[in-house]
PDB file of all heavy atoms in Angstrom:
ATOM      1  N   PRO X 935      97.294 117.149  91.831  1.00  0.00           N
ATOM      2  CA  PRO X 935      95.878 117.547  91.681  1.00  0.00           C
ATOM      3  C   PRO X 935      95.008 116.443  91.071  1.00  0.00           C
ATOM      4  O   PRO X 935      93.882 116.218  91.518  1.00  0.00           O
ATOM      5  CB  PRO X 935      95.931 118.757  90.747  1.00  0.00           C
ATOM      6  CG  PRO X 935      97.315 119.262  90.834  1.00  0.00           C
ATOM      7  CD  PRO X 935      98.172 118.062  91.114  1.00  0.00           C
ATOM      8  N   PHE X 936      95.531 115.746  90.072  1.00  0.00           N
ATOM      9  CA  PHE X 936      94.748 114.695  89.420  1.00  0.00           C
ATOM     10  C   PHE X 936      94.321 113.646  90.441  1.00  0.00           C
ATOM     11  O   PHE X 936      93.131 113.327  90.570  1.00  0.00           O
ATOM     12  CB  PHE X 936      95.556 114.015  88.311  1.00  0.00           C
ATOM     13  CG  PHE X 936      94.942 114.137  86.943  1.00  0.00           C
ATOM     14  CD1 PHE X 936      95.656 114.704  85.913  1.00  0.00           C
ATOM     15  CD2 PHE X 936      93.660 113.673  86.686  1.00  0.00           C
ATOM     16  CE1 PHE X 936      95.114 114.815  84.643  1.00  0.00           C
ATOM     17  CE2 PHE X 936      93.102 113.773  85.422  1.00  0.00           C
ATOM     18  CZ  PHE X 936      93.833 114.347  84.401  1.00  0.00           C
ATOM     19  N   GLU X 937      95.287 113.070  91.164  1.00  0.00           N
ATOM     20  CA  GLU X 937      94.957 111.987  92.090  1.00  0.00           C
ATOM     21  C   GLU X 937      94.201 112.491  93.315  1.00  0.00           C
ATOM     22  O   GLU X 937      93.405 111.754  93.893  1.00  0.00           O
ATOM     23  CB  GLU X 937      96.215 111.221  92.494  1.00  0.00           C
ATOM     24  CG  GLU X 937      96.746 110.363  91.360  1.00  0.00           C
ATOM     25  CD  GLU X 937      97.907 109.461  91.739  1.00  0.00           C
ATOM     26  OE1 GLU X 937      98.530 109.666  92.802  1.00  0.00           O
ATOM     27  OE2 GLU X 937      98.193 108.538  90.955  1.00  0.00           O
ATOM     28  N   ALA X 938      94.409 113.752  93.710  1.00  0.00           N
ATOM     29  CA  ALA X 938      93.711 114.286  94.878  1.00  0.00           C
ATOM     30  C   ALA X 938      92.247 114.605  94.573  1.00  0.00           C
ATOM     31  O   ALA X 938      91.368 114.292  95.375  1.00  0.00           O
ATOM     32  CB  ALA X 938      94.418 115.539  95.387  1.00  0.00           C
ATOM     33  N   PHE X 939      91.984 115.207  93.430  1.00  0.00           N
ATOM     34  CA  PHE X 939      90.627 115.658  93.137  1.00  0.00           C
ATOM     35  C   PHE X 939      89.782 114.646  92.372  1.00  0.00           C
ATOM     36  O   PHE X 939      88.587 114.835  92.216  1.00  0.00           O
ATOM     37  CB  PHE X 939      90.663 116.989  92.376  1.00  0.00           C
ATOM     38  CG  PHE X 939      91.278 118.100  93.181  1.00  0.00           C
ATOM     39  CD1 PHE X 939      92.392 118.765  92.712  1.00  0.00           C
ATOM     40  CD2 PHE X 939      90.772 118.455  94.415  1.00  0.00           C
ATOM     41  CE1 PHE X 939      92.982 119.778  93.450  1.00  0.00           C
ATOM     42  CE2 PHE X 939      91.344 119.455  95.168  1.00  0.00           C
ATOM     43  CZ  PHE X 939      92.458 120.126  94.679  1.00  0.00           C
ATOM     44  N   THR X 940      90.388 113.572  91.884  1.00  0.00           N
ATOM     45  CA  THR X 940      89.621 112.560  91.144  1.00  0.00           C
ATOM     46  C   THR X 940      89.616 111.224  91.879  1.00  0.00           C
ATOM     47  O   THR X 940      89.406 110.186  91.259  1.00  0.00           O
ATOM     48  CB  THR X 940      90.190 112.375  89.725  1.00  0.00           C
ATOM     49  OG1 THR X 940      91.535 111.928  89.835  1.00  0.00           O
ATOM     50  CG2 THR X 940      90.116 113.651  88.922  1.00  0.00           C
ATOM     51  N   LYS X 941      89.861 111.261  93.171  1.00  0.00           N
ATOM     52  CA  LYS X 941      89.810 110.065  94.018  1.00  0.00           C
ATOM     53  C   LYS X 941      90.766 108.972  93.542  1.00  0.00           C
ATOM     54  O   LYS X 941      90.378 107.826  93.345  1.00  0.00           O
ATOM     55  CB  LYS X 941      88.383 109.552  94.116  1.00  0.00           C
ATOM     56  CG  LYS X 941      87.443 110.585  94.688  1.00  0.00           C
ATOM     57  CD  LYS X 941      86.029 110.085  94.752  1.00  0.00           C
ATOM     58  CE  LYS X 941      85.151 111.202  95.298  1.00  0.00           C
ATOM     59  NZ  LYS X 941      83.770 110.820  95.429  1.00  0.00           N
ATOM     60  N   GLY X 942      92.019 109.363  93.322  1.00  0.00           N
ATOM     61  CA  GLY X 942      93.053 108.390  92.998  1.00  0.00           C
ATOM     62  C   GLY X 942      93.162 108.015  91.532  1.00  0.00           C
ATOM     63  O   GLY X 942      93.625 106.922  91.217  1.00  0.00           O
ATOM     64  N   ARG X 943      92.772 108.918  90.660  1.00  0.00           N
ATOM     65  CA  ARG X 943      92.829 108.583  89.229  1.00  0.00           C
ATOM     66  C   ARG X 943      93.559 109.678  88.454  1.00  0.00           C
ATOM     67  O   ARG X 943      93.507 110.834  88.798  1.00  0.00           O
ATOM     68  CB  ARG X 943      91.420 108.420  88.673  1.00  0.00           C
ATOM     69  CG  ARG X 943      90.707 107.262  89.375  1.00  0.00           C
ATOM     70  CD  ARG X 943      89.355 107.027  88.852  1.00  0.00           C
ATOM     71  NE  ARG X 943      89.448 106.255  87.608  1.00  0.00           N
ATOM     72  CZ  ARG X 943      88.397 105.985  86.857  1.00  0.00           C
ATOM     73  NH1 ARG X 943      87.206 106.401  87.184  1.00  0.00           N
ATOM     74  NH2 ARG X 943      88.544 105.274  85.761  1.00  0.00           N
ATOM     75  N   THR X 944      94.261 109.256  87.407  1.00  0.00           N
ATOM     76  CA  THR X 944      94.887 110.170  86.465  1.00  0.00           C
ATOM     77  C   THR X 944      94.263 109.896  85.103  1.00  0.00           C
ATOM     78  O   THR X 944      93.419 109.001  84.978  1.00  0.00           O
ATOM     79  CB  THR X 944      96.407 109.927  86.386  1.00  0.00           C
ATOM     80  OG1 THR X 944      96.630 108.576  85.977  1.00  0.00           O
ATOM     81  CG2 THR X 944      97.095 110.212  87.712  1.00  0.00           C
ATOM     82  N   LEU X 945      94.700 110.612  84.101  1.00  0.00           N
ATOM     83  CA  LEU X 945      94.182 110.381  82.756  1.00  0.00           C
ATOM     84  C   LEU X 945      94.400 108.921  82.345  1.00  0.00           C
ATOM     85  O   LEU X 945      93.489 108.268  81.829  1.00  0.00           O
ATOM     86  CB  LEU X 945      94.857 111.336  81.762  1.00  0.00           C
ATOM     87  CG  LEU X 945      94.370 111.285  80.330  1.00  0.00           C
ATOM     88  CD1 LEU X 945      92.878 111.615  80.246  1.00  0.00           C
ATOM     89  CD2 LEU X 945      95.165 112.250  79.469  1.00  0.00           C
ATOM     90  N   GLY X 946      95.586 108.401  82.603  1.00  0.00           N
ATOM     91  CA  GLY X 946      95.887 107.004  82.277  1.00  0.00           C
ATOM     92  C   GLY X 946      94.973 106.037  83.014  1.00  0.00           C
ATOM     93  O   GLY X 946      94.493 105.050  82.447  1.00  0.00           O
ATOM     94  N   LYS X 947      94.713 106.321  84.272  1.00  0.00           N
ATOM     95  CA  LYS X 947      93.850 105.439  85.058  1.00  0.00           C
ATOM     96  C   LYS X 947      92.390 105.532  84.604  1.00  0.00           C
ATOM     97  O   LYS X 947      91.656 104.546  84.694  1.00  0.00           O
ATOM     98  CB  LYS X 947      94.001 105.752  86.542  1.00  0.00           C
ATOM     99  CG  LYS X 947      95.365 105.345  87.085  1.00  0.00           C
ATOM    100  CD  LYS X 947      95.502 105.704  88.554  1.00  0.00           C
ATOM    101  CE  LYS X 947      96.912 105.488  89.021  1.00  0.00           C
ATOM    102  NZ  LYS X 947      97.849 106.507  88.532  1.00  0.00           N
ATOM    103  N   TYR X 948      91.968 106.697  84.143  1.00  0.00           N
ATOM    104  CA  TYR X 948      90.608 106.799  83.580  1.00  0.00           C
ATOM    105  C   TYR X 948      90.479 105.924  82.337  1.00  0.00           C
ATOM    106  O   TYR X 948      89.494 105.211  82.177  1.00  0.00           O
ATOM    107  CB  TYR X 948      90.262 108.247  83.221  1.00  0.00           C
ATOM    108  CG  TYR X 948      89.645 109.008  84.358  1.00  0.00           C
ATOM    109  CD1 TYR X 948      90.382 109.927  85.076  1.00  0.00           C
ATOM    110  CD2 TYR X 948      88.322 108.798  84.734  1.00  0.00           C
ATOM    111  CE1 TYR X 948      89.826 110.621  86.132  1.00  0.00           C
ATOM    112  CE2 TYR X 948      87.760 109.476  85.788  1.00  0.00           C
ATOM    113  CZ  TYR X 948      88.515 110.389  86.484  1.00  0.00           C
ATOM    114  OH  TYR X 948      87.971 111.065  87.536  1.00  0.00           O
ATOM    115  N   ILE X 949      91.461 105.990  81.467  1.00  0.00           N
ATOM    116  CA  ILE X 949      91.403 105.228  80.211  1.00  0.00           C
ATOM    117  C   ILE X 949      91.455 103.725  80.471  1.00  0.00           C
ATOM    118  O   ILE X 949      90.735 102.962  79.832  1.00  0.00           O
ATOM    119  CB  ILE X 949      92.529 105.691  79.259  1.00  0.00           C
ATOM    120  CG1 ILE X 949      92.232 107.119  78.791  1.00  0.00           C
ATOM    121  CG2 ILE X 949      92.689 104.743  78.077  1.00  0.00           C
ATOM    122  CD1 ILE X 949      93.346 107.788  78.026  1.00  0.00           C
ATOM    123  N   THR X 950      92.278 103.293  81.440  1.00  0.00           N
ATOM    124  CA  THR X 950      92.413 101.852  81.719  1.00  0.00           C
ATOM    125  C   THR X 950      91.455 101.355  82.804  1.00  0.00           C
ATOM    126  O   THR X 950      91.509 100.188  83.180  1.00  0.00           O
ATOM    127  CB  THR X 950      93.856 101.513  82.141  1.00  0.00           C
ATOM    128  OG1 THR X 950      94.170 102.224  83.340  1.00  0.00           O
ATOM    129  CG2 THR X 950      94.849 101.858  81.042  1.00  0.00           C
TER     130      THR X 950
END
Side-chain angles (χ1 to χ4, degrees):
F936 241 123
E937 288 186 345
F939 297 121
T940 61
K941 301 179 182 181
R943 298 182 80 185
T944 59
L945 184 60
K947 291 178 188 74
Y948 271 104
I949 292 171
T950 62

